[in-house]
Amino acid sequence: MVRDIFKCLGIAVLSLVLAFGIVLGTYYATKDVYADNYQKGFVYQYRRLQSADDGTPKVVVFGGSYLAFSLNTKQMQEELGVPCYELGVQSNMGMCYTIELLEDQINEGDIVVFPFEDFARDDYGMDLITLTLDGQLDMTLDFLKRHPLELIEAVPRATTRRVLGQFRAANSAPETVYVASAFDQEYAYYNLDRPEPTVSEESLINAGYAYYIGDIDPSCLEVLNEFNALCEEKGATLLITYMPMCTQSVFTDEEGRQAYMEYLDENLDPEIICSLEDCFYDYEYVFNGFSHLNSKGQEKYTSDLSEMLKPYVNEVE
């Protein structure tokens, strides 16, 4: 019996060693497959935020890809006169992971801004998160500490994806839009030159976007209220705006939009500092989707958001 137990343990240990060897071997064999991966933009943003001076009040805006395609942190910093940062390149990562990283970077006097988009508490997009963690040992260990099962379960899929990615890279045209090299290296904002819309106005109308209260996950509001409490405890301020949206894509009528805003106002503790309409942008400002802006739209959105934040920045100063 004892012999059988040791035999089983030995097999288990050998299996783990073999699995680790396969993962490690795959990593080194495909180490260049993600060299210019778009998710590295998130790492650039996070590293810049980590380097911020704890004693200097700052503005931090977080969100999804709509933020990456809409905010110029260099321009915002020039307009507001305080250090400005952003964190967010993909909504499908799950906003909770972004908030977890932010929690240790918030200090007294900071202004934190979330252009609202619905999310769920337990929604962790592991495909995108493992891409983000690729080659980032400290971030990987931190995520493993917080979510060990999720990361362990994601390893086989991530390993397979690396192998497939190697073949795809060799047999497809290079990506030019969703790439790490599109991010400014100093300010970590998305800086690809994109002067014109790449989608038709008709397609944006047909795509449509509805502001429907039933789509708001209650856990999203809970997470934001919890994060607001943390910000207040640290002497920081959490503010809510709305994500940029192509005017032609808005499906919900004025009455429905008003009901949507009232619902959020009633259920969120942080202050909402604008209306939905303040974040609507005409087709000419759009790039490749109803919430992705082109270079002209990025400049306008950044100025609009800066104007909204000036009273709060002045109050801190």
Side-chain angles (χ1 to χ4, degrees), residues 13-37:
V13 170
L14 286 173
S15 298
L16 287 173
V17 171
L18 179 62
F20 180 76
I22 291 173
V23 170
L24 193 62
T26 301
Y27 178 83
Y28 282 104
T30 60
K31 59 185 175 64
D32 295 328
V33 71
Y34 296 141
D36 198 26
N37 186 271

Side-chain angles (χ1 to χ4, degrees), residues 56-243:
T56 302
K58 59 185 178 291
V59 172
V60 184
V61 190
F62 71 98
S65 61
Y66 59 86
L67 181 65
F69 280 79
S70 304
L71 185 66
N72 180 328
T73 45
K74 179 181 180 181
Q75 177 189 339
M76 173 175 271
Q77 188 161 308
E78 291 170 352
E79 293 190 14
L80 290 179
V82 297
C84 295
Y85 303 83
E86 68 177 293
L87 189 62
V89 298
Q90 281 275 20
S91 298
N92 289 337
M93 288 177 67
M95 210 56 62
C96 288
Y97 175 52
T98 301
I99 291 174
E100 286 173 5
L101 293 178
L102 280 174
E103 288 174 348
D104 294 330
Q105 307 301 324
I106 301 305
N107 299 291
E108 184 175 358
D110 289 350
I111 296 172
V112 186
V113 185
F114 178 52
F116 183 83
E117 181 188 36
D118 181 48
F119 62 88
R121 180 186 291 274
D122 297 320
D123 184 16
Y124 288 84
M126 291 309 301
D127 282 356
L128 294 174
I129 289 175
T130 52
L131 280 175
T132 304
L133 299 178
D134 188 76
Q136 309 300 318
L137 181 59
D138 60 327
M139 294 176 69
T140 300
L141 292 176
D142 179 66
F143 191 87
L144 181 62
K145 182 180 178 181
R146 298 174 190 262
H147 308 285
L149 292 180
E150 288 88 344
L151 187 55
I152 291 170
E153 289 174 358
V155 167
R157 181 178 173 87
T159 304
T160 302
R161 192 175 60 247
R162 289 186 72 94
V163 175
L164 295 176
Q166 189 84 356
F167 287 105
R168 291 194 191 102
N171 295 284
S172 60
E175 174 63 52
T176 58
V177 174
Y178 295 94
V179 289
S181 53
F183 286 81
D184 179 84
Q185 292 300 298
E186 183 177 358
Y187 289 89
Y189 70 94
Y190 188 78
N191 194 30
L192 183 75
D193 183 33
R194 46 198 197 284
E196 302 292 337
T198 59
V199 291
S200 69
E201 184 173 350
E202 182 182 6
S203 69
L204 290 171
I205 293 172
N206 292 336
Y209 189 89
Y211 294 97
Y212 178 52
I213 293 173
D215 289 339
I216 301 175
D217 192 305
S219 68
C220 166
L221 307 178
E222 293 170 0
V223 170
L224 288 174
N225 286 337
E226 291 165 7
F227 185 46
N228 180 68
L230 177 69
C231 288
E232 289 183 345
E233 182 181 325
K234 290 191 168 192
T237 302
L238 175 62
L239 301 172
I240 304 294
T241 63
Y242 293 100
M243 69 176 183

Side-chain angles (χ1 to χ4, degrees), residues 268-279:
L268 282 175
D269 295 335
E271 182 182 355
I272 302 173
I273 64 172
C274 69
S275 69
L276 284 169
E277 290 77 11
D278 291 330
C279 301

